[in-house]
């Protein structure tokens, strides 16, 4: 019987489905017990992870029988894909399964930050009444959302934003200007600098690779429309956090929402600690209840099929 190991949380129904047809070891605490994980993979045919388990050469050396790595999500920066390919190991992400969750997070964040009316709790309970200041927020209708990266998640985000009456522009150097996705979603392609100068809200949808590390740095933040807001559900390293904190303190940006960080989990203190108009969440943009069910079932089925196991 094929052996499947799971090192991070997976939806219980998907776990139960796998347990019926493979020898299953479901240990979601393994992600924080590296030595135990490595010792447990000697005969594993498949490993299922989220974004914290580092599937690198060390792990692959400890798993000589490994044939499949299932990723409960879409980002692959915690997986050495080239090393897996060199060993004939198939890497399977849950492409598309959490797109709705991320898109809703982005649009919700954009609405909240542009309106600027939902970050007044501390003032209100302190007896203040910041009505005049908070009456200057903006509606979404007629505003411009700029998407950096225009894959499946970006396209769904564009459709949700358009339903609110927003104009949508996007930058994606991997997508030709004549690609049908632009017209199908009524989105205008722009160069990066033009997008930053135009958009009232900017959302990031790119992987973390050398070309995108600190893509949003001090210089590019200075090139953004004054009073714009920034949303990052992609990868933390895409944004220079120190530059972002400075822009928020100086008022160059009206607000930001970060769901991902250069170092996760986020440690206490740090450059973001006293930045105003900043919403921080613990990498949950794509992890709603519904998305987790879809992602888990997709990967359970894909891993089972890749191993040639009958349900």
């Amino acid at each position: 019987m094929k052996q499947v190991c799971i090192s991070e949380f997976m939806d219980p129904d998907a776990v139960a489905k796998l347990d019926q047809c493979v020898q299953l070891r479901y240990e979601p605490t393994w992600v924080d017990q590296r030595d135990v994980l490595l010792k447990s993979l000697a005969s594993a045919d498949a490993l299922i992870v989220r974004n914290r388990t580092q599937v690198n050469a060390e792990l692959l050396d400890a798993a000589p029988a490994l044939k499949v790595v299932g990723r409960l999500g879409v980002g692959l920066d915690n997986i050495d894909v080239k090393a897996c390919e060199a060993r004939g190991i198939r890497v399977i992400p849950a492409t598309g399964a959490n797109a709705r969750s991320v898109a809703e997070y982005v649009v919700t964040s954009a609405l909240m930050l542009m309106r600027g009316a939902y970050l007044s709790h501390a003032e209100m309970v302190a007896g203040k009444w910041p009505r005049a200041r908070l009456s200057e927020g903006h509606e979404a209708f007629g505003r411009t959302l700029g998407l950096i990266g225009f894959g499946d998640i970006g396209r769904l985000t564009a459709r949700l934003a358009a339903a609110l009456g927003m104009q949508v522009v996007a930058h994606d150097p991997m997508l030709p200007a004549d690609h049908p996705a632009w017209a199908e979603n009524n989105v205008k392609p722009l160069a990066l600098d033009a997008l930053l100068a135009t958009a009232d809200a900017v959302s990031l949808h790119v992987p973390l690779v050398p070309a995108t590390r600190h893509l949003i740095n001090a210089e590019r933040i200075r090139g953004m429309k004054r009073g714009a807001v920034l949303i990052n559900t992609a990868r933390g390293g895409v944004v220079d956090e120190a530059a972002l904190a400075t822009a928020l303190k100086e008022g160059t940006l009206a607000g930001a929402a970060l769901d991902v960080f250069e170092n996760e989990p986020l440690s206490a203190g740090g450059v973001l600690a006293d930045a105003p108009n900043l919403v921080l969440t613990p990498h949950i943009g794509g992890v709603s209840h519904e998305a987790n069910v879809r992602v888990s079932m997709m990967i359970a089925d894909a891993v089972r099929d890749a191993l040639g196991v009958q349900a």
Side-chain angles (χ1 to χ4, degrees), residues 34-168:
R34 182 73 172 181
D35 291 344
V36 177
L37 170 62
L38 296 184
K39 292 177 182 177
S40 303
L41 294 177
S43 57
D45 296 286
L47 173 65
I48 296 175
V49 304
R50 283 192 180 272
N51 66 305
R52 292 180 57 214
T53 303
Q54 297 300 310
V55 182
N56 53 20
E58 178 190 39
L59 184 146
L60 297 176
D61 286 342
L66 200 64
K67 303 176 184 65
V68 182
V69 175
R71 165 71 168 93
L72 296 165
V74 293
L76 298 176
D77 46 292
N78 62 311
I79 300 173
D80 188 336
V81 176
K82 290 185 178 179
C84 288
E85 290 175 348
R87 298 172 188 238
I89 298 169
R90 184 177 174 189
V91 177
I92 307 175
T95 304
N98 65 354
R100 180 81 191 196
S101 180
V102 178
E104 288 190 4
Y105 179 104
V106 170
V107 173
T108 299
S109 298
L111 294 175
M112 178 174 63
L113 293 169
M114 288 190 297
R115 185 66 181 268
Y118 307 105
L119 301 175
S120 57
H121 174 81
E123 292 175 277
M124 294 291 291
V125 298
K128 297 180 181 179
W129 195 252
R131 189 170 188 269
R133 175 172 59 84
L134 297 182
S135 297
E136 295 299 315
H138 298 289
E139 298 175 355
F141 186 84
R143 295 278 157 178
T144 298
L145 173 64
L147 304 171
I148 300 178
F150 197 53
D152 290 341
I153 294 174
R155 295 171 201 181
L156 179 53
T157 302
R159 294 194 292 274
L160 295 182
L164 294 167
M166 297 188 76
Q167 305 297 314
V168 184

Side-chain angles (χ1 to χ4, degrees), residues 7-18:
S7 64
E8 299 183 61
F9 173 74
M10 190 172 185
D11 182 71
D13 289 343
V15 173
K17 188 174 185 179
L18 277 173

Side-chain angles (χ1 to χ4, degrees), residues 230-256:
L230 177 69
I231 303 149
N232 187 13
T233 57
R235 285 293 180 267
V238 177
V239 174
D240 182 334
E241 293 173 358
L244 173 63
T246 297
L248 291 170
K249 292 173 185 176
E250 294 177 348
T252 305
L253 294 182

Side-chain angles (χ1 to χ4, degrees), residues 190-273:
L190 288 179
L192 179 57
D193 289 345
L195 180 149
L196 294 174
T198 301
D200 298 287
V202 174
S203 181
L204 303 173
H205 299 275
V206 294
L208 180 60
V209 295
T212 62
R213 180 169 292 280
H214 286 188
L215 180 70
I216 303 302
N217 53 24
E219 180 181 358
R220 289 209 167 97
I221 290 173
R222 284 193 295 270
M224 291 177 67
K225 185 176 182 179
R226 188 168 183 85
V229 302
L230 177 69
I231 303 149
N232 187 13
T233 57
R235 285 293 180 267
V238 177
V239 174
D240 182 334
E241 293 173 358
L244 173 63
T246 297
L248 291 170
K249 292 173 185 176
E250 294 177 348
T252 305
L253 294 182
L258 301 182
D259 186 51
V260 288
F261 307 90
E262 293 206 52
N263 295 297
E264 297 182 6
L266 188 65
S267 58
V271 296
L272 299 173

